[in-house]
Amino acid sequence: MENIWDSLQSLTDANTIIGLGFYVLLVVVFAETGLFFGFFLPGDYLLFMAGIFCAAGKLPVDISMLVLSLAIAGILGNYVGYWFGYRTGPLLYKRKDSWFFKKRYVMVAEEFYHKYGGTALILGRFFPIIRTFAPIFAGVVKVSFKKFTIYNITGSVLWVSVLTLAGYFLGRSYPEIENYLQYVILAFLVITTAPLIFAFLKKKLISGKSVKENEIDNKDI
């Protein structure tokens, strides 16, 4: 059991993933963007760290090849997520929660999609959990495959390019940033999870107000 837990912990550590090699990095990005159990994998800061490691020569691949390969992995991952949602459909809402699947994550992706429309597939790339479940929900509601393809490619290219190149150029300009990677990771966790926490608290607050209003209305009756 401890070995399994250690393995799962290593999968959430960007240093470990990148240290395992270029192809493992691609597999992790693919899994996080298309497989429903990949929601716990690092995404944003993994790309950023890959850029830093590439600049430092610790990831032996050209930056253009790195960006292209990561973008393709993200595109293919979303296609798998779309196919999974398309095939399973409403069954996802009936599926029991488990360690690898949470029904509320699909609902979060659904709310995000209803709020932003098709662009949710682009914006969602920059948010954990939504990044994994947005393409699955797109398959559930059977978004046009042509439209999905446009959003999928655009979102993946933007997501990978922005974060990987930001890490690469920062690493080239400030090589000493390698000594402060723990702070970089912490900053990314705060930046990427803060909007989700805010949305959750806002929803709770609105729900609480609705309950109180109903109680007042019932008393008046």
Side-chain angles (χ1 to χ4, degrees):
M1 190 66 183
E2 290 183 3
N3 291 333
I4 295 175
W5 178 245
D6 289 340
S7 299
L8 290 175
Q9 283 186 311
S10 66
L11 285 175
T12 62
D13 180 61
N15 290 338
T16 301
I17 293 170
I18 297 172
L20 291 174
F22 174 63
Y23 294 107
V24 174
L25 173 63
L26 297 182
V27 170
V28 170
V29 171
F30 169 83
E32 204 225 355
T33 55
L35 306 181
F36 70 84
F37 55 79
F39 68 90
F40 68 92
L41 296 170
D44 297 327
Y45 76 85
L46 177 61
L47 298 181
F48 188 79
M49 295 276 285
I52 291 178
F53 276 54
C54 183
K58 294 184 177 181
L59 189 59
V61 61
D62 182 74
I63 184 61
S64 58
M65 178 59 69
L66 177 64
V67 171
L68 178 62
S69 301
L70 289 171
I72 291 174
I75 291 169
L76 295 178
N78 262 21
Y79 274 133
V80 171
Y82 176 86
W83 173 84
F84 179 77
Y86 194 93
R87 298 288 294 180
T88 57
L91 293 177
L92 274 178
Y93 292 91
K94 298 178 182 179
R95 185 186 178 95
K96 293 182 179 180
D97 283 355
S98 64
W99 195 90
F100 288 110
F101 177 81
K102 303 294 182 184
K103 192 187 302 180
R104 65 178 179 273
Y105 293 158
V106 181
M107 294 179 176
V108 167
E110 180 181 3
E111 289 181 10
F112 195 81
Y113 185 86
H114 286 316
K115 183 175 182 180
Y116 296 103
T119 53
L121 295 169
I122 298 176
L123 297 175
R125 290 277 188 175
F126 294 87
F127 297 98
I129 297 177
I130 291 175
R131 179 167 50 245
T132 303
F133 287 91
I136 295 176
F137 178 74
V140 172
V141 298
K142 294 180 170 51
V143 171
S144 163
F145 186 75
K146 183 178 179 179
K147 288 183 178 180
F148 177 80
T149 296
I150 294 172
Y151 291 128
N152 182 18
I153 294 174
T154 303
S156 186
V157 170
L158 282 176
W159 179 54
V160 171
S161 298
V162 168
L163 294 174
T164 307
L165 291 178
Y168 178 77
F169 288 117
L170 190 63
R172 288 287 297 272
S173 301
Y174 305 99
E176 64 276 8
I177 196 173
E178 286 187 71
N179 301 322
Y180 304 96
L181 292 181
Q182 66 271 30
Y183 300 108
V184 172
I185 293 174
L186 180 61
F188 260 102
L189 289 175
V190 172
I191 292 171
T192 56
T193 57
L196 294 177
I197 295 173
F198 176 77
F200 175 78
L201 293 175
K202 183 179 179 181
K203 183 179 178 182
K204 284 288 186 183
L205 183 62
I206 293 174
S207 299
K209 286 183 178 179
S210 298
V211 170
K212 288 183 180 179
E213 289 174 357
N214 290 333
E215 289 177 350
I216 293 173
D217 291 339
N218 291 333
K219 288 181 180 179
D220 292 339
I221 294 172

